[in-house]
Every structure is written in structure tokens, then in C-alpha cells.
Amino acid sequence: MGKTIAKIVAYVLVALALVAVVGLIYKYTNGFNEDFKTFYVEYNGKQILTADNKLTLENDETYTFNVKYTFDNEKTEPKDYKVKIIPNVERDFDYTVNGEKYLYSKTGEITAAFNLKKEQAQFLITIPARFNLQTALQSIYSGKNVSVPSDAETNNPYPYRLVVASYNGKVTYNIDLKIVDAGIKDITLNPDKIYFGGENKNEAPATPTERGYNIEYLFSGDATNLSDLSLEGATQAKAGEIVSYKIIIGDSNYSISGMRISVMNSTEIVEIIETNGVYSFTMPQGNVYVWIYFEYTSPQDKTMYAIEYDTLGNGSLLSIDLDCPDKAVAGETVTLTVRLKDLSDAFDDYYPVEITHIVLNDMETGEEISDLGAGEGSFTFTMPETPVTIMFYLMRI
């Protein structure tokens, strides 16, 4: 009798163990619909276990994503993971950078626009207070004039893709992102089956008509070394209101060469009126960007010299994102900011490179003037009395 009871207990334990195993497999295969997931992402207390997801985030907020491996415990040494944000395209479009056309799907990584901070077992995304395709692309082309078609976001409701991969690349999650102004935060996983989130608020958020539209002032043109500059003007206004602003330039060598206003998701033309140094316009129905272009006129006793770029080694200027003036006065301090692009999504045969050396050469003789350093970041040099070439030495890694 005792042996019989022991056998029954053993069978029950085995059955319970099998149920637990089946439950575990069910959980980490999305109901037996996908391969077993040894790596997953957790957001807002919910596990992301499907390969393709959609997520709506709100601007001016920070979001935390935890990354976990299924069989890890407190004593397990943390494994690495990969995370980046790239364009997500439903209907591709061209945008311009200083008048030159680029295809959005070929832009490469746009992680920098999201202030992404990667930690050992989690990463954080901080969305700026004013965020859209225009500002996102503007942030990765610092100091340059970026123009995005007015219907780009309408045609691409989820224009960004968050890609999170395990350390070995065997498990990857694609999370398509939409950024909104309203108080809506939801995640849709496997849309026909699972819905997480949604946020109910006692009071409906104020509409743009009630709170006014945003105004952002952007400086462009030859303004790299213009530091003595201030602007006084409203940053928000309701449609139909008169918006006035004033620009104070402390350097007599700089002047305003032009202005224009672009209205988000609209082709509307807004006229700017100038009266005794004060500029004004009528606020349209939509957020606006006030573009202010500057021009530098060198003093008669100073000559400006050209600055050009070139590469040596395994790579080209396509691999580098540069922010540097194309000319400067002899004796002036020039700042060069450089970072490498991730073009793996743009070219099938792409391989990563690193900058092993940055050298300032005399453009006319080819002789080296100074060694600026290596890697990514900001570098400075004093402009000599000659045109120069900044040479980047690239090495495949």
C-alpha cells in the first residue's frame, strides 16, 4: 500500500513538472506561435515576447526598458545586448540637408535623437519636449538646415524602429515607435491578440487650440563661430496671434542673410515682417520652426581660407558625419565635431570602421600641419594662412 501511494505521489509530481515545463514553453513561445525565447524585453511590467511590436510614447518623458535572459538568476553574470533606433518606413520619402537630398530609409542609425542611455540590464529613452521627424533628423545633422516633407509623418505613423538584440544576435525584437503630444501611452504586442496599457486621465489634455502651438527658433547658415547672440521671443502662441521676436548679434562681422518659417505638417507660407529690428508674424494653426540664416563677412584685413575633407584607408566620407565650417579666417579657432555612422541597414556589404588618426594638412602642398587626434568627438585647431584638408584615416574593425 505504501509503495502504491509513493508511486502515485511520484506520478503527480512528474505530471506537475510537465505542466510547469509546458507552461514555461507556452509563455516564452507566445502561445506556441514562435520559437522559444531565451532573451526578452520588459516594458512597464509587461514582457515583450513577439518579434514585431508597436509602441506609442509621449514626448518630454523618460522610458525604461529592462532586458532579461530567461534562465538567468541573481547569481548569473549579466550578458550583454545590443540596442539601436533606425528609420521605420511605410512610405519612403526624400528630405534635404543643406539643400542636398537624402532618402529616409537609407539614413542609418538615429539613436542619438532619443538620448538613449544603455546600462547593464536596462536602457532608458528620453523623448525631448518638442519631438517630431524634423527635430529628430535635425539632431543628427547638428547645425545644418534639415527640411522634411509636410506629409512624412502622416504617411509614416510609426517612423522609428527600436531594435533590441541578444548578445549573440539570435533573438531580435523590433518595436516600432510613435511619438505623440497627448497623454497616450500604450503598447500593442501581436496586435490581433494582446494589448497592454492605455492611460486614462480624469481631465482631457488641452488641445493645441487651447494651449497654443509651439515656436522653435533654429539658427543655420555660416553661424558656427557665432557665440555672441541672443534672441527674445515667444515660444508658444495661439493661432491668429501676432508673434514678435528680436535678434541681438554682438559680432559685427555677422549679419542675418535670410529667414523663413516652416509649419509642421503643412505647406502654408507664413510672412515675416520687420519693423525697426523687430520681426513678427501671424501664428498659423500648427507648430512652427523659425529658421534664421546668418552670413559671415570677413574684415577687409582678413582673408578666409577653405576647409575640405578626405579619407585614407578602409572607408569613405559616407561613413562619417561631420560638423565643421567650410571656411575660416586665419588665426580663428575652428571646432570640428565628428561621429561614425552605422550604415549596416543601408548597404549589404557594409563593415564598421574606426578613426585611427585625424590630420590637418596644407591643401596646396599636402604637408602635415598638425595632428588633431583620433576617434569620435570634438576637435579644435587654429586656422592657418592657407586652405586646409582634414584627413581621416579609417580602419576596418
Side-chain angles (χ1 to χ4, degrees), residues 116-314:
L116 190 147
K117 181 181 179 183
K118 181 184 176 187
E119 298 179 356
Q120 194 172 61
Q122 67 178 20
F123 61 91
L124 291 80
I125 292 176
T126 300
I127 311 298
R130 297 172 185 171
F131 190 88
N132 51 46
L133 267 172
Q134 175 82 33
T135 57
L137 290 170
Q138 188 73 52
S139 69
I140 65 173
Y141 292 101
S142 177
K144 298 180 180 179
N145 182 12
V146 178
S147 180
V148 177
S150 59
D151 60 354
E153 290 192 74
T154 303
N155 294 331
N156 296 276
Y158 290 84
Y160 321 102
R161 171 164 290 179
L162 173 64
V163 182
V164 190
S166 59
Y167 73 99
N168 55 13
K170 290 185 177 180
V171 181
T172 299
Y173 296 101
N174 296 316
I175 306 171
D176 296 341
L177 301 178
K178 175 196 290 186
I179 312 300
V180 298
D181 290 326
I184 303 171
K185 304 173 187 175
D186 62 80
I187 183 168
T188 305
L189 307 180
N190 207 1
D192 293 333
K193 297 183 180 180
I194 306 174
Y195 298 90
F196 293 146
E199 183 174 303
N200 295 321
K201 295 189 174 181
N202 294 329
E203 295 183 4
T207 64
T209 303
E210 295 169 340
R211 70 173 186 269
Y213 295 98
N214 294 326
I215 305 166
E216 187 167 353
Y217 302 91
L218 301 174
F219 301 145
S220 192
D222 194 3
T224 304
N225 295 295
L226 176 55
S227 57
D228 193 357
L229 172 70
S230 62
L231 186 146
E232 301 171 358
T235 57
Q236 201 169 67
K238 295 181 180 179
E241 290 184 344
I242 301 299
V243 177
S244 298
Y245 60 95
K246 185 177 182 180
I247 304 163
I248 302 171
I249 305 173
D251 189 331
S252 60
N253 294 320
Y254 286 89
S255 60
I256 297 173
S257 61
M259 291 186 193
R260 69 179 177 89
I261 291 177
S262 58
V263 186
M264 182 177 173
N265 298 326
S266 173
T267 57
E268 180 179 355
I269 297 175
V270 179
E271 183 182 5
I272 300 174
I273 300 173
E274 189 267 335
T275 305
N276 297 325
V278 177
Y279 302 89
S280 61
F281 64 91
T282 302
M283 189 68 184
Q285 290 186 340
N287 298 331
V288 302
Y289 299 98
V290 181
W291 293 91
I292 304 165
Y293 298 91
F294 295 92
E295 182 178 30
Y296 178 82
T297 303
S298 61
Q300 292 183 354
D301 59 340
K302 293 185 178 180
T303 303
M304 299 194 77
Y305 296 94
I307 303 173
E308 295 186 356
Y309 316 95
D310 204 351
T311 61
L312 284 174
N314 304 103

Side-chain angles (χ1 to χ4, degrees), residues 12-28 32 36 70-71:
V12 170
L13 291 175
V14 170
L16 290 174
L18 288 174
V19 170
V21 170
V22 171
L24 182 69
I25 295 173
Y26 183 89
K27 178 179 180 180
Y28 290 103
F32 303 115
F36 188 87
T70 307
F71 298 111

Side-chain angles (χ1 to χ4, degrees), residues 31-97:
F32 303 115
N33 289 319
E34 300 193 22
D35 294 334
F36 188 87
K37 299 296 173 56
T38 57
F39 168 78
Y40 63 95
V41 179
E42 192 174 82
Y43 166 75
N44 201 23
K46 305 294 183 181
Q47 295 171 346
I48 298 177
L49 295 168
T50 54
D52 297 296
N53 313 274
K54 293 185 184 298
L55 174 63
T56 300
L57 303 181
E58 188 176 350
N59 59 8
D60 201 21
E61 293 284 350
T62 297
Y63 298 89
T64 301
F65 296 79
N66 297 307
V67 291
K68 298 184 178 182
Y69 287 85
T70 307
F71 298 111
D72 283 356
N73 55 48
E74 294 180 356
K75 297 181 179 180
T76 304
E77 181 143 355
K79 300 183 182 72
D80 196 14
Y81 64 96
K82 301 173 184 177
V83 58
K84 64 180 178 179
I85 299 175
I86 60 175
N88 179 50
V89 177
E90 291 186 26
R91 187 173 175 182
D92 213 350
F93 61 90
D94 288 324
Y95 63 95
T96 61
V97 180

